[in-house]
Structure formats: C-alpha cells, structure tokens
Amino acid sequence: MIYGFNFNGQHSDDFQLLMRSVNRQLLPSNNDAYVTIPGRDGSLLFVSGHGNRVISINCTIKGNSPEDLQAKARDAAAWLHTKDYAILSFDDETGLYYKAKVASQIDFENITKTLGTFDINFNCEPFAYGGEESKILVGDSATVNNQGSAEAQPRFMATFLSTAGEWKATNQDGYYIRVVHNFVAGD
C-alpha cells in the first residue's frame, strides 16, 4: 500500500503526488541552554522544553506532457504555500496530526519530460496532536487515553442524564477534582 499525506485540507493524491520517503523525527530537539561558568567544572543546564520538529517528505509527480508536469507542480506549490501553520497528517498515523508550515524553498527536479521530484521540509510544532476523545460513562467510570506524543491537560464536558449530587474525575495517581452541586437531567 502506498501512503500519502494531508496538508492544508487536501490530500497528496489530489495532486497526483507519490510520497516516496518521509523523515519523521521520533523526538524533536531540545531548546535547552548550557551555560559554562569560568572556574567551574561542567556547565549549568537550563531546561526550556522542546524545539520545533522538522518533517521531510520526498515526492514524485507525473504529468502527461512537459507542460502538464509543470502545471501540476505549480498547483502543488500553490497548495503547499501557507501564511501560518496548517494541519499535516499522514495516512499511516490515523488520529494524529501536526501543525506545520513549509520551512524552505522547494526545488523541483525533472527526471524525465513527464516525471519530476521534489523534497518538502515542514517546520512543525514539537508534538503530534490527537483528536478529541469522547467517552460515555459506564458504571460511573471511563478511561481516556492520550494518543498524542506529549502530556496534555484534559477538558471535561459532562451532560447529566439524571440527578446527581456531585461530579468527580480522578487520575491514575488518585488525585481528583470534585464539583458538588444539585445536578438535574440536562445539566
């Protein structure tokens, strides 16, 4: 099976692009700073999170004629140009996406009169994002798993089907939040 990618609301298949290779970093670089102090062994570490991730994709495009090839390449270039981050996702990573922007120029190389290739380097926010996960409580509990690549703070939305005196959410370490209120159906 040949996988493709979605970017900026469109799939690579829409432009008849064949994604030949992808370099997806498993972990982005650190933004850590090391400060060396004269007369002191080693250095001081100032941890400041992760840097942006770079994802590189090699694409091949086929045209019916040299003019058709150039037209398809220009259509792909227009699709890839954004002023801000856009959603980037891959067919083999269902449920995950990156916030990405093309990082550098895209050089187009004609292999034959009707076949061309180019590399796309995306500058992405450090982590993959997962979609929203909704759970229906069964026996007053539900397990929610973070499918992304970093810790994320949850957001709870609850609709009560009957009256209740409190609402409580407990994490895996036993810490909880609790809302005491006379809830009625529809709250």
Side-chain angles (χ1 to χ4, degrees):
M1 175 180 228
I2 297 175
Y3 293 105
F5 64 98
N6 275 290
F7 179 68
N8 199 20
Q10 288 188 276
H11 195 274
S12 54
D13 289 346
D14 297 344
F15 299 91
Q16 298 168 353
L17 294 181
L18 175 64
M19 183 177 77
R20 292 184 5 192
S21 64
V22 173
N23 176 7
R24 284 179 262 180
Q25 298 167 335
L26 289 178
L27 186 65
S29 63
N30 289 318
N31 273 342
D32 297 343
Y34 295 87
V35 177
T36 303
I37 299 174
R40 183 185 184 279
D41 293 335
S43 59
L44 297 176
L45 168 64
F46 293 91
V47 178
S48 62
H50 293 283
N52 277 356
R53 167 188 307 264
V54 176
I55 296 177
S56 301
I57 303 173
N58 177 264
C59 294
T60 300
I61 190 167
K62 184 178 184 327
N64 298 320
S65 66
E67 295 80 14
D68 184 49
L69 177 63
Q70 289 300 321
K72 286 180 179 178
R74 291 193 186 283
D75 288 346
W79 161 56
L80 294 168
H81 174 72
T82 61
K83 293 185 181 205
D84 201 356
Y85 285 123
I87 301 299
L88 171 67
S89 63
F90 294 92
D91 295 350
D92 63 347
E93 281 189 321
T94 55
L96 297 179
Y97 65 91
Y98 302 90
K99 292 182 180 178
K101 185 175 186 339
V102 173
S104 58
Q105 69 188 35
I106 299 175
D107 295 323
F108 184 71
E109 179 184 354
N110 285 65
I111 297 174
T112 66
K113 289 182 180 183
T114 60
L115 194 65
T117 185
F118 56 92
D119 293 327
I120 308 167
N121 294 312
F122 288 102
N123 190 358
C124 306
E125 288 187 355
F127 301 108
Y129 293 90
E132 264 187 32
E133 186 171 340
S134 297
K135 295 287 183 168
I136 296 176
L137 297 179
V138 177
D140 290 340
S141 68
T143 301
V144 178
N145 295 311
N146 176 4
Q147 299 299 317
S149 58
E151 284 188 27
Q153 298 300 318
R155 181 179 70 151
F156 298 101
M157 292 181 12
T159 302
F160 290 84
L161 301 176
S162 62
T163 59
E166 70 175 20
W167 180 84
K168 183 176 174 182
T170 308
N171 73 3
Q172 69 274 7
D173 298 326
Y175 293 101
Y176 63 88
I177 59 170
R178 180 175 160 215
V179 179
V180 177
H181 181 74
N182 291 325
F183 294 105
V184 297
D187 281 353

mmCIF file of all heavy atoms in Angstrom, residues 3-17 19 57 59 72 74-82 86-91 97-98 100 120 122:
data_model
loop_
_atom_site.group_PDB
_atom_site.id
_atom_site.type_symbol
_atom_site.label_atom_id
_atom_site.label_comp_id
_atom_site.label_asym_id
_atom_site.label_seq_id
_atom_site.Cartn_x
_atom_site.Cartn_y
_atom_site.Cartn_z
ATOM 1 N N TYR A 3 1.198 5.083 0.939
ATOM 2 C CA TYR A 3 0.598 6.057 1.819
ATOM 3 C C TYR A 3 0.847 7.466 1.286
ATOM 4 O O TYR A 3 1.812 7.711 0.587
ATOM 5 C CB TYR A 3 1.184 5.949 3.230
ATOM 6 C CG TYR A 3 0.818 4.669 3.934
ATOM 7 C CD1 TYR A 3 1.738 3.643 4.093
ATOM 8 C CD2 TYR A 3 -0.461 4.492 4.435
ATOM 9 C CE1 TYR A 3 1.398 2.474 4.738
ATOM 10 C CE2 TYR A 3 -0.811 3.327 5.086
ATOM 11 C CZ TYR A 3 0.122 2.314 5.232
ATOM 12 O OH TYR A 3 -0.227 1.166 5.870
ATOM 13 N N GLY A 4 -0.018 8.359 1.671
ATOM 14 C CA GLY A 4 0.136 9.755 1.312
ATOM 15 C C GLY A 4 -0.006 10.617 2.547
ATOM 16 O O GLY A 4 0.098 10.141 3.673
ATOM 17 N N PHE A 5 -0.274 11.899 2.314
ATOM 18 C CA PHE A 5 -0.417 12.825 3.428
ATOM 19 C C PHE A 5 -1.454 13.892 3.097
ATOM 20 O O PHE A 5 -1.727 14.170 1.938
ATOM 21 C CB PHE A 5 0.924 13.471 3.789
ATOM 22 C CG PHE A 5 1.518 14.344 2.708
ATOM 23 C CD1 PHE A 5 1.361 15.721 2.745
ATOM 24 C CD2 PHE A 5 2.242 13.787 1.667
ATOM 25 C CE1 PHE A 5 1.904 16.524 1.753
ATOM 26 C CE2 PHE A 5 2.798 14.580 0.678
ATOM 27 C CZ PHE A 5 2.631 15.959 0.720
ATOM 28 N N ASN A 6 -2.034 14.437 4.151
ATOM 29 C CA ASN A 6 -2.956 15.567 4.050
ATOM 30 C C ASN A 6 -2.237 16.805 4.541
ATOM 31 O O ASN A 6 -1.534 16.753 5.563
ATOM 32 C CB ASN A 6 -4.184 15.342 4.943
ATOM 33 C CG ASN A 6 -5.242 14.525 4.272
ATOM 34 O OD1 ASN A 6 -5.875 14.999 3.337
ATOM 35 N ND2 ASN A 6 -5.424 13.306 4.729
ATOM 36 N N PHE A 7 -2.422 17.913 3.834
ATOM 37 C CA PHE A 7 -1.886 19.189 4.296
ATOM 38 C C PHE A 7 -2.842 20.280 3.855
ATOM 39 O O PHE A 7 -3.352 20.258 2.727
ATOM 40 C CB PHE A 7 -0.488 19.452 3.724
ATOM 41 C CG PHE A 7 0.087 20.768 4.165
ATOM 42 C CD1 PHE A 7 0.439 20.979 5.487
ATOM 43 C CD2 PHE A 7 0.253 21.810 3.273
ATOM 44 C CE1 PHE A 7 0.955 22.194 5.916
ATOM 45 C CE2 PHE A 7 0.771 23.025 3.682
ATOM 46 C CZ PHE A 7 1.122 23.219 5.010
ATOM 47 N N ASN A 8 -3.097 21.199 4.751
ATOM 48 C CA ASN A 8 -3.892 22.370 4.419
ATOM 49 C C ASN A 8 -5.246 21.978 3.805
ATOM 50 O O ASN A 8 -5.724 22.608 2.873
ATOM 51 C CB ASN A 8 -3.101 23.284 3.477
ATOM 52 C CG ASN A 8 -3.628 24.694 3.432
ATOM 53 O OD1 ASN A 8 -4.340 25.134 4.326
ATOM 54 N ND2 ASN A 8 -3.281 25.408 2.378
ATOM 55 N N GLY A 9 -5.833 20.894 4.304
ATOM 56 C CA GLY A 9 -7.157 20.497 3.882
ATOM 57 C C GLY A 9 -7.251 19.659 2.624
ATOM 58 O O GLY A 9 -8.348 19.333 2.184
ATOM 59 N N GLN A 10 -6.112 19.309 2.011
ATOM 60 C CA GLN A 10 -6.142 18.495 0.799
ATOM 61 C C GLN A 10 -5.142 17.358 0.895
ATOM 62 O O GLN A 10 -4.112 17.470 1.556
ATOM 63 C CB GLN A 10 -5.840 19.336 -0.435
ATOM 64 C CG GLN A 10 -6.973 20.275 -0.796
ATOM 65 C CD GLN A 10 -6.727 20.942 -2.129
ATOM 66 O OE1 GLN A 10 -6.032 21.946 -2.180
ATOM 67 N NE2 GLN A 10 -7.282 20.381 -3.181
ATOM 68 N N HIS A 11 -5.447 16.267 0.192
ATOM 69 C CA HIS A 11 -4.601 15.081 0.212
ATOM 70 C C HIS A 11 -3.616 15.130 -0.951
ATOM 71 O O HIS A 11 -3.914 15.665 -2.016
ATOM 72 C CB HIS A 11 -5.465 13.812 0.135
ATOM 73 C CG HIS A 11 -4.711 12.579 0.502
ATOM 74 N ND1 HIS A 11 -3.970 11.874 -0.414
ATOM 75 C CD2 HIS A 11 -4.562 11.942 1.687
ATOM 76 C CE1 HIS A 11 -3.404 10.846 0.188
ATOM 77 N NE2 HIS A 11 -3.750 10.869 1.480
ATOM 78 N N SER A 12 -2.449 14.530 -0.755
ATOM 79 C CA SER A 12 -1.422 14.485 -1.805
ATOM 80 C C SER A 12 -1.943 13.810 -3.073
ATOM 81 O O SER A 12 -1.508 14.146 -4.185
ATOM 82 C CB SER A 12 -0.166 13.784 -1.296
ATOM 83 O OG SER A 12 -0.471 12.502 -0.777
ATOM 84 N N ASP A 13 -2.883 12.874 -2.941
ATOM 85 C CA ASP A 13 -3.473 12.220 -4.116
ATOM 86 C C ASP A 13 -4.191 13.215 -5.019
ATOM 87 O O ASP A 13 -4.262 13.010 -6.232
ATOM 88 C CB ASP A 13 -4.465 11.128 -3.695
ATOM 89 C CG ASP A 13 -3.792 9.909 -3.099
ATOM 90 O OD1 ASP A 13 -2.553 9.776 -3.243
ATOM 91 O OD2 ASP A 13 -4.498 9.088 -2.481
ATOM 92 N N ASP A 14 -4.726 14.298 -4.437
ATOM 93 C CA ASP A 14 -5.419 15.312 -5.232
ATOM 94 C C ASP A 14 -4.488 15.951 -6.263
ATOM 95 O O ASP A 14 -4.949 16.498 -7.265
ATOM 96 C CB ASP A 14 -6.000 16.407 -4.342
ATOM 97 C CG ASP A 14 -7.053 15.898 -3.374
ATOM 98 O OD1 ASP A 14 -7.565 14.778 -3.579
ATOM 99 O OD2 ASP A 14 -7.355 16.620 -2.400
ATOM 100 N N PHE A 15 -3.192 15.902 -6.002
ATOM 101 C CA PHE A 15 -2.193 16.498 -6.894
ATOM 102 C C PHE A 15 -1.374 15.426 -7.609
ATOM 103 O O PHE A 15 -0.357 15.730 -8.204
ATOM 104 C CB PHE A 15 -1.283 17.440 -6.093
ATOM 105 C CG PHE A 15 -2.063 18.552 -5.474
ATOM 106 C CD1 PHE A 15 -2.589 18.438 -4.203
ATOM 107 C CD2 PHE A 15 -2.312 19.720 -6.184
ATOM 108 C CE1 PHE A 15 -3.337 19.458 -3.639
ATOM 109 C CE2 PHE A 15 -3.057 20.745 -5.631
ATOM 110 C CZ PHE A 15 -3.571 20.613 -4.351
ATOM 111 N N GLN A 16 -1.831 14.183 -7.488
ATOM 112 C CA GLN A 16 -1.176 13.027 -8.098
ATOM 113 C C GLN A 16 0.290 12.937 -7.677
ATOM 114 O O GLN A 16 1.172 12.649 -8.467
ATOM 115 C CB GLN A 16 -1.330 13.059 -9.617
ATOM 116 C CG GLN A 16 -2.782 12.983 -10.020
ATOM 117 C CD GLN A 16 -3.031 13.301 -11.476
ATOM 118 O OE1 GLN A 16 -2.151 13.705 -12.202
ATOM 119 N NE2 GLN A 16 -4.270 13.116 -11.878
ATOM 120 N N LEU A 17 0.499 13.191 -6.372
ATOM 121 C CA LEU A 17 1.840 13.090 -5.801
ATOM 122 C C LEU A 17 2.035 11.708 -5.212
ATOM 123 O O LEU A 17 1.153 11.179 -4.534
ATOM 124 C CB LEU A 17 2.049 14.107 -4.681
ATOM 125 C CG LEU A 17 2.050 15.577 -5.040
ATOM 126 C CD1 LEU A 17 2.305 16.409 -3.802
ATOM 127 C CD2 LEU A 17 3.085 15.881 -6.093
ATOM 128 N N MET A 19 4.242 9.917 -2.491
ATOM 129 C CA MET A 19 5.141 10.172 -1.369
ATOM 130 C C MET A 19 6.126 9.020 -1.300
ATOM 131 O O MET A 19 5.762 7.893 -1.004
ATOM 132 C CB MET A 19 4.321 10.277 -0.077
ATOM 133 C CG MET A 19 5.140 10.610 1.140
ATOM 134 S SD MET A 19 4.133 10.824 2.623
ATOM 135 C CE MET A 19 3.785 9.134 3.052
ATOM 136 N N ILE A 57 9.635 15.240 3.422
ATOM 137 C CA ILE A 57 8.926 14.322 2.538
ATOM 138 C C ILE A 57 9.520 14.433 1.139
ATOM 139 O O ILE A 57 9.721 15.534 0.638
ATOM 140 C CB ILE A 57 7.422 14.652 2.469
ATOM 141 C CG1 ILE A 57 6.791 14.641 3.851
ATOM 142 C CG2 ILE A 57 6.700 13.707 1.527
ATOM 143 C CD1 ILE A 57 5.358 15.127 3.864
ATOM 144 N N CYS A 59 8.717 13.669 -2.736
ATOM 145 C CA CYS A 59 7.543 13.423 -3.580
ATOM 146 C C CYS A 59 7.950 13.272 -5.036
ATOM 147 O O CYS A 59 8.907 13.893 -5.502
ATOM 148 C CB CYS A 59 6.568 14.589 -3.488
ATOM 149 S SG CYS A 59 5.830 14.793 -1.870
ATOM 150 N N LYS A 72 1.089 20.808 -13.004
ATOM 151 C CA LYS A 72 0.815 20.054 -11.771
ATOM 152 C C LYS A 72 1.764 20.482 -10.652
ATOM 153 O O LYS A 72 1.364 20.590 -9.490
ATOM 154 C CB LYS A 72 0.937 18.556 -12.031
ATOM 155 C CG LYS A 72 -0.227 17.997 -12.819
ATOM 156 C CD LYS A 72 -0.074 16.512 -13.052
ATOM 157 C CE LYS A 72 -1.273 15.971 -13.818
ATOM 158 N NZ LYS A 72 -1.149 14.547 -14.098
ATOM 159 N N ARG A 74 3.135 23.433 -10.280
ATOM 160 C CA ARG A 74 2.711 24.761 -9.811
ATOM 161 C C ARG A 74 1.448 24.674 -8.954
ATOM 162 O O ARG A 74 1.304 25.400 -7.972
ATOM 163 C CB ARG A 74 2.516 25.708 -10.984
ATOM 164 C CG ARG A 74 3.819 26.072 -11.645
ATOM 165 C CD ARG A 74 3.674 27.232 -12.604
ATOM 166 N NE ARG A 74 4.926 27.453 -13.307
ATOM 167 C CZ ARG A 74 5.988 28.049 -12.801
ATOM 168 N NH1 ARG A 74 5.964 28.460 -11.546
ATOM 169 N NH2 ARG A 74 7.085 28.224 -13.507
ATOM 170 N N ASP A 75 0.520 23.771 -9.310
ATOM 171 C CA ASP A 75 -0.670 23.558 -8.481
ATOM 172 C C ASP A 75 -0.269 23.057 -7.092
ATOM 173 O O ASP A 75 -0.818 23.495 -6.078
ATOM 174 C CB ASP A 75 -1.616 22.553 -9.136
ATOM 175 C CG ASP A 75 -2.334 23.122 -10.349
ATOM 176 O OD1 ASP A 75 -2.325 24.359 -10.540
ATOM 177 O OD2 ASP A 75 -2.897 22.308 -11.118
ATOM 178 N N ALA A 76 0.681 22.136 -7.042
ATOM 179 C CA ALA A 76 1.161 21.611 -5.756
ATOM 180 C C ALA A 76 1.834 22.717 -4.947
ATOM 181 O O ALA A 76 1.641 22.821 -3.730
ATOM 182 C CB ALA A 76 2.111 20.441 -5.975
ATOM 183 N N ALA A 77 2.596 23.577 -5.615
ATOM 184 C CA ALA A 77 3.264 24.680 -4.920
ATOM 185 C C ALA A 77 2.242 25.636 -4.308
ATOM 186 O O ALA A 77 2.404 26.092 -3.167
ATOM 187 C CB ALA A 77 4.189 25.424 -5.877
ATOM 188 N N ALA A 78 1.176 25.928 -5.038
ATOM 189 C CA ALA A 78 0.131 26.819 -4.516
ATOM 190 C C ALA A 78 -0.548 26.192 -3.297
ATOM 191 O O ALA A 78 -0.860 26.887 -2.327
ATOM 192 C CB ALA A 78 -0.896 27.113 -5.608
ATOM 193 N N TRP A 79 -0.765 24.881 -3.336
ATOM 194 C CA TRP A 79 -1.375 24.156 -2.213
ATOM 195 C C TRP A 79 -0.479 24.203 -0.980
ATOM 196 O O TRP A 79 -0.944 24.366 0.150
ATOM 197 C CB TRP A 79 -1.630 22.721 -2.655
ATOM 198 C CG TRP A 79 -1.828 21.700 -1.585
ATOM 199 C CD1 TRP A 79 -2.743 21.715 -0.577
ATOM 200 C CD2 TRP A 79 -1.107 20.468 -1.434
ATOM 201 N NE1 TRP A 79 -2.642 20.572 0.198
ATOM 202 C CE2 TRP A 79 -1.637 19.793 -0.325
ATOM 203 C CE3 TRP A 79 -0.081 19.869 -2.144
ATOM 204 C CZ2 TRP A 79 -1.167 18.563 0.107
ATOM 205 C CZ3 TRP A 79 0.381 18.638 -1.726
ATOM 206 C CH2 TRP A 79 -0.160 17.998 -0.617
ATOM 207 N N LEU A 80 0.824 24.076 -1.173
ATOM 208 C CA LEU A 80 1.762 23.993 -0.056
ATOM 209 C C LEU A 80 2.063 25.346 0.585
ATOM 210 O O LEU A 80 2.546 25.411 1.706
ATOM 211 C CB LEU A 80 3.063 23.331 -0.513
ATOM 212 C CG LEU A 80 2.931 21.861 -0.903
ATOM 213 C CD1 LEU A 80 4.188 21.389 -1.620
ATOM 214 C CD2 LEU A 80 2.629 21.008 0.313
ATOM 215 N N HIS A 81 1.780 26.437 -0.128
ATOM 216 C CA HIS A 81 2.076 27.772 0.400
ATOM 217 C C HIS A 81 0.999 28.187 1.404
ATOM 218 O O HIS A 81 -0.183 28.215 1.093
ATOM 219 C CB HIS A 81 2.139 28.807 -0.725
ATOM 220 C CG HIS A 81 2.296 30.202 -0.208
ATOM 221 N ND1 HIS A 81 3.474 30.647 0.350
ATOM 222 C CD2 HIS A 81 1.421 31.219 -0.101
ATOM 223 C CE1 HIS A 81 3.324 31.898 0.747
ATOM 224 N NE2 HIS A 81 2.090 32.262 0.485
ATOM 225 N N THR A 82 1.416 28.481 2.630
ATOM 226 C CA THR A 82 0.513 28.989 3.664
ATOM 227 C C THR A 82 1.199 30.137 4.392
ATOM 228 O O THR A 82 2.427 30.235 4.405
ATOM 229 C CB THR A 82 0.160 27.901 4.705
ATOM 230 O OG1 THR A 82 1.368 27.473 5.353
ATOM 231 C CG2 THR A 82 -0.536 26.718 4.056
ATOM 232 N N ALA A 86 -0.571 24.976 9.196
ATOM 233 C CA ALA A 86 -1.749 24.257 8.705
ATOM 234 C C ALA A 86 -1.630 22.823 9.216
ATOM 235 O O ALA A 86 -0.560 22.385 9.643
ATOM 236 C CB ALA A 86 -1.807 24.296 7.179
ATOM 237 N N ILE A 87 -2.715 22.094 9.156
ATOM 238 C CA ILE A 87 -2.743 20.718 9.646
ATOM 239 C C ILE A 87 -2.041 19.796 8.648
ATOM 240 O O ILE A 87 -2.339 19.814 7.456
ATOM 241 C CB ILE A 87 -4.189 20.245 9.862
ATOM 242 C CG1 ILE A 87 -4.897 21.146 10.878
ATOM 243 C CG2 ILE A 87 -4.236 18.777 10.279
ATOM 244 C CD1 ILE A 87 -4.287 21.164 12.255
ATOM 245 N N LEU A 88 -1.104 18.989 9.158
ATOM 246 C CA LEU A 88 -0.387 17.985 8.380
ATOM 247 C C LEU A 88 -0.638 16.637 9.033
ATOM 248 O O LEU A 88 -0.414 16.476 10.235
ATOM 249 C CB LEU A 88 1.121 18.279 8.372
ATOM 250 C CG LEU A 88 2.039 17.209 7.784
ATOM 251 C CD1 LEU A 88 1.807 17.046 6.284
ATOM 252 C CD2 LEU A 88 3.507 17.562 8.060
ATOM 253 N N SER A 89 -1.122 15.674 8.250
ATOM 254 C CA SER A 89 -1.341 14.334 8.785
ATOM 255 C C SER A 89 -0.923 13.310 7.747
ATOM 256 O O SER A 89 -0.845 13.610 6.554
ATOM 257 C CB SER A 89 -2.807 14.133 9.187
ATOM 258 O OG SER A 89 -3.650 14.232 8.056
ATOM 259 N N PHE A 90 -0.666 12.099 8.217
ATOM 260 C CA PHE A 90 -0.188 11.030 7.352
ATOM 261 C C PHE A 90 -1.154 9.856 7.392
ATOM 262 O O PHE A 90 -1.734 9.557 8.438
ATOM 263 C CB PHE A 90 1.212 10.585 7.801
ATOM 264 C CG PHE A 90 2.241 11.655 7.608
ATOM 265 C CD1 PHE A 90 2.537 12.539 8.635
ATOM 266 C CD2 PHE A 90 2.895 11.797 6.398
ATOM 267 C CE1 PHE A 90 3.470 13.549 8.459
ATOM 268 C CE2 PHE A 90 3.831 12.805 6.214
ATOM 269 C CZ PHE A 90 4.109 13.675 7.250
ATOM 270 N N ASP A 91 -1.297 9.186 6.260
ATOM 271 C CA ASP A 91 -2.221 8.061 6.158
ATOM 272 C C ASP A 91 -1.873 6.934 7.132
ATOM 273 O O ASP A 91 -2.752 6.194 7.557
ATOM 274 C CB ASP A 91 -2.239 7.500 4.733
ATOM 275 C CG ASP A 91 -2.799 8.491 3.727
ATOM 276 O OD1 ASP A 91 -3.344 9.535 4.139
ATOM 277 O OD2 ASP A 91 -2.684 8.225 2.511
ATOM 278 N N TYR A 97 -2.090 14.431 14.155
ATOM 279 C CA TYR A 97 -1.753 15.466 13.175
ATOM 280 C C TYR A 97 -0.704 16.411 13.764
ATOM 281 O O TYR A 97 -0.474 16.438 14.972
ATOM 282 C CB TYR A 97 -2.998 16.238 12.737
ATOM 283 C CG TYR A 97 -3.663 17.050 13.827
ATOM 284 C CD1 TYR A 97 -3.308 18.378 14.051
ATOM 285 C CD2 TYR A 97 -4.648 16.492 14.625
ATOM 286 C CE1 TYR A 97 -3.911 19.119 15.045
ATOM 287 C CE2 TYR A 97 -5.262 17.229 15.629
ATOM 288 C CZ TYR A 97 -4.891 18.541 15.825
ATOM 289 O OH TYR A 97 -5.486 19.273 16.818
ATOM 290 N N TYR A 98 -0.070 17.149 12.872
ATOM 291 C CA TYR A 98 0.934 18.136 13.253
ATOM 292 C C TYR A 98 0.466 19.503 12.773
ATOM 293 O O TYR A 98 -0.265 19.602 11.790
ATOM 294 C CB TYR A 98 2.283 17.820 12.581
ATOM 295 C CG TYR A 98 2.809 16.454 12.917
ATOM 296 C CD1 TYR A 98 2.486 15.344 12.133
ATOM 297 C CD2 TYR A 98 3.620 16.252 14.023
ATOM 298 C CE1 TYR A 98 2.953 14.083 12.440
ATOM 299 C CE2 TYR A 98 4.098 14.988 14.336
ATOM 300 C CZ TYR A 98 3.757 13.913 13.542
ATOM 301 O OH TYR A 98 4.221 12.660 13.852
ATOM 302 N N ALA A 100 1.921 22.454 10.912
ATOM 303 C CA ALA A 100 3.121 22.543 10.086
ATOM 304 C C ALA A 100 3.055 23.698 9.094
ATOM 305 O O ALA A 100 1.978 24.158 8.723
ATOM 306 C CB ALA A 100 3.299 21.231 9.322
ATOM 307 N N ILE A 120 9.959 18.265 0.373
ATOM 308 C CA ILE A 120 9.255 19.267 1.177
ATOM 309 C C ILE A 120 9.760 19.131 2.606
ATOM 310 O O ILE A 120 9.745 18.038 3.168
ATOM 311 C CB ILE A 120 7.732 19.035 1.181
ATOM 312 C CG1 ILE A 120 7.180 18.902 -0.221
ATOM 313 C CG2 ILE A 120 7.032 20.165 1.944
ATOM 314 C CD1 ILE A 120 5.756 18.353 -0.261
ATOM 315 N N PHE A 122 8.891 20.415 6.271
ATOM 316 C CA PHE A 122 7.895 21.090 7.087
ATOM 317 C C PHE A 122 8.495 21.424 8.445
ATOM 318 O O PHE A 122 9.130 20.582 9.074
ATOM 319 C CB PHE A 122 6.671 20.199 7.316
ATOM 320 C CG PHE A 122 5.800 20.012 6.112
ATOM 321 C CD1 PHE A 122 5.865 18.848 5.369
ATOM 322 C CD2 PHE A 122 4.903 20.991 5.728
ATOM 323 C CE1 PHE A 122 5.052 18.669 4.271
ATOM 324 C CE2 PHE A 122 4.081 20.824 4.639
ATOM 325 C CZ PHE A 122 4.158 19.651 3.901
#
